[in-house]
Amino acid sequence: MKPNFSLRLRIFNLNCWGIPYLSKHRGDRMKRLGDLLNMESFDLALLEEVWSEQDFQRLRQKLLPAYPAAHYFRSIRSRNSRSTSTPSMGTPTCSMPSTIARRTSTSHTAWPKLGNWPSSSSVHTSKKADVVLLCGDLNLHPKDLGCRLLKECTGLHDAYHETRDFKGSEEGCTMVPENCYVSQRELEPFPFGIRIDYVLYKAVSGFYISCKTLRTTTGHDPHSGTPLSDHEALMATLCVRHSPPQHTPDPTQGPAERSRLISVLKEAWTELDLGVAQARWWATFAGYVIGLGLLLLALLCALAAGGGVREVAILLWTPSVGVLLGAGAVYLFHMQEAKGLSRARAELQHVLGRAREAQDLGLESQPALLLGQQEGDGAEEQ
């Protein structure tokens, strides 16, 4: 690769809101989305919530031959643990060299629940990628703990904050009251809208990446006026260039950045600790209900066998069994939740300890390296 290598990436991202039978005007919006993508020359078009493979095939046929390398990914884990179907489209005229094209990590999933944090962080900090992109609907406000944890623990840059050329909704909001598909009741706490869709990026292994421009739609299609979705579209222009390792800026070197990282890790650990305690409380409560339910069933069986109040005992039998089964389901659910959160808390505590050690020694506290080292330790233990 030439030392003066440079690359411009034009990225389009949209949560398409393509839920069959629930999303309004789905067919028309998909058609207009295809028209828009054909009019623009994006290098990457990342679309979320195209739930129907039939919708994707229609989009793909409409976009050929402009986007022949379209792919359809299923079972993408979202923050509320639902499955989505996400197509990713790249133009054949992309100026990305083949060596980089094969090694560009693109992720457009929502950030999973905090309990899945350690494994998810390792996905988004792939050591084999020169450029890491995370684009899409995180279902998180910029000040939410999950969003801050993601940024601090991966070193990903937020295009909205990094670019000097932004045009779009106020404060980069991606759900705005001007959009006719948005529930105004859900936006009551945010009268001007809320930003939950992101373009995050970082470069590693001797490359430098910057965001030249960032655009969002403002409640309507840029050409026809009708919104493409209940979310606003993001259009970013990223520039990637070769940079010698010694000249690659590292945002995690300063004491302030290390202190902020440790603060976020501690806050996340506290939240996980509270989550574990709450899950165990519910599991204990459900256990007591199960015990009382078994005693009640035994009493009803005795009354039914006695014959005196047999009819009443039989009438109470069915709801008692229902309560017992419901309590059992609650118990199993919260026990599994407590186990998952406990594992995440232990791993987070491990990373926090290493970050503190790095701070005490004056080293660069890079969470990606800490996570990778922890994965290696776990493999050795197994």
Side-chain angles (χ1 to χ4, degrees):
M1 185 178 296
K2 297 180 181 180
N4 59 349
F5 157 80
S6 62
L7 163 70
R8 191 190 73 159
L9 279 177
R10 294 193 68 228
I11 299 172
F12 177 91
N13 175 254
L14 176 67
N15 182 324
C16 296
W17 192 45
I19 307 173
Y21 310 111
L22 294 179
S23 301
K24 298 178 181 178
H25 310 140
R26 181 168 55 95
D28 175 66
R29 290 188 291 106
M30 291 296 176
K31 179 181 180 298
R32 290 188 290 107
L33 174 60
D35 293 337
L36 173 64
L37 292 176
N38 270 327
M39 292 174 59
E40 302 287 346
S41 56
F42 294 106
D43 299 312
L44 289 173
L46 307 175
L47 309 179
E48 301 163 85
E49 288 199 3
V50 181
W51 288 63
S52 168
E53 191 164 358
Q54 183 179 9
D55 284 345
F56 169 71
Q57 293 301 332
R58 289 175 180 172
L59 270 175
R60 192 173 188 274
Q61 291 175 4
K62 192 174 185 63
L63 295 175
L64 290 175
Y67 294 86
H71 299 286
Y72 190 71
F73 302 97
R74 298 188 64 86
S75 299
I76 302 300
R77 195 70 187 275
S78 71
R79 181 171 175 262
N80 53 2
S81 299
R82 67 187 178 190
S83 295
T84 65
S85 302
T86 309
S88 172
M89 308 172 193
T91 65
T93 58
C94 177
S95 59
M96 185 185 304
S98 59
T99 54
I100 297 296
R102 292 194 299 267
R103 300 183 63 195
T104 301
S105 172
T106 60
S107 177
H108 35 87
T109 67
W111 186 246
K113 292 187 295 183
L114 199 57
N116 295 323
W117 166 80
S119 58
S120 303
S121 296
S122 61
V123 171
H124 297 302
T125 53
S126 173
K127 296 180 180 179
K128 297 181 180 180
D130 296 315
V131 174
V132 179
L133 302 177
L134 191 151
C135 307
D137 175 15
L138 301 185
N139 277 326
L140 293 170
H141 187 275
K143 294 183 180 180
D144 287 344
L145 174 60
C147 188
R148 291 184 287 117
L149 182 67
L150 170 62
K151 294 178 183 179
E152 293 295 335
C153 290
T154 60
L156 290 167
H157 299 277
D158 190 338
Y160 174 71
H161 293 299
E162 297 294 328
T163 187
R164 295 184 179 179
D165 185 2
F166 171 77
K167 291 182 180 179
S169 303
E170 184 177 354
E171 297 184 357
C173 294
T174 56
M175 292 195 78
V176 296
E178 292 81 7
N179 190 311
C180 62
Y181 295 129
V182 174
S183 171
Q184 301 301 318
R185 184 178 60 182
E186 293 181 359
L187 280 184
E188 284 182 358
F190 309 97
F192 300 105
I194 184 173
R195 185 162 76 100
I196 58 176
D197 300 80
Y198 299 81
V199 174
L200 306 177
Y201 60 85
K202 77 171 183 177
V204 294
S205 64
F207 291 88
Y208 177 75
I209 185 170
S210 60
C211 181
K212 295 299 181 183
T213 65
L214 179 65
R215 305 284 186 269
T216 71
T217 53
T218 56
H220 55 81
D221 184 330
H223 301 286
S224 67
T226 308
L228 292 171
S229 172
D230 59 342
H231 288 244
E232 301 306 313
L234 297 171
M235 294 157 281
T237 301
L238 303 181
C239 292
V240 184
R241 62 178 174 83
H242 185 276
S243 177
Q246 62 269 23
H247 294 154
T248 301
D250 188 350
T252 61
Q253 288 183 352
E257 286 76 11
R258 290 197 294 267
S259 177
R260 187 168 62 244
L261 166 64
I262 292 177
S263 177
V264 172
L265 288 173
K266 289 172 63 178
E267 186 177 351
W269 188 90
T270 301
E271 289 294 329
L272 285 172
D273 194 49
L274 292 174
V276 170
Q278 187 177 31
R280 287 176 175 171
W281 186 91
W282 278 107
T284 302
F285 176 77
Y288 285 130
V289 173
I290 291 173
L292 292 174
L294 290 174
L295 290 175
L296 179 59
L297 286 177
L299 178 60
L300 292 175
C301 289
L303 292 175
V309 287
R310 183 175 182 178
E311 292 78 7
V312 177
I314 293 175
L315 288 174
L316 293 177
W317 175 270
T318 300
S320 299
V321 171
V323 171
L324 186 61
L325 292 177
V330 171
Y331 176 81
L332 292 176
F333 173 80
H334 286 290
M335 283 299 296
Q336 290 299 319
E337 182 183 33
K339 289 180 181 178
L341 292 175
S342 295
R343 286 194 298 268
R345 181 182 60 176
E347 295 176 8
L348 188 61
Q349 179 65 31
H350 183 83
V351 175
L352 180 59
R354 291 192 177 277
R356 283 171 171 167
E357 291 177 4
Q359 184 183 41
D360 294 339
L361 296 175
L363 301 176
E364 298 177 9
S365 55
Q366 299 184 17
L369 299 179
L370 299 177
L371 287 168
Q373 186 174 6
Q374 181 178 341
E375 291 174 358
D377 295 343
E380 292 177 1
E381 293 176 359
Q382 294 176 355

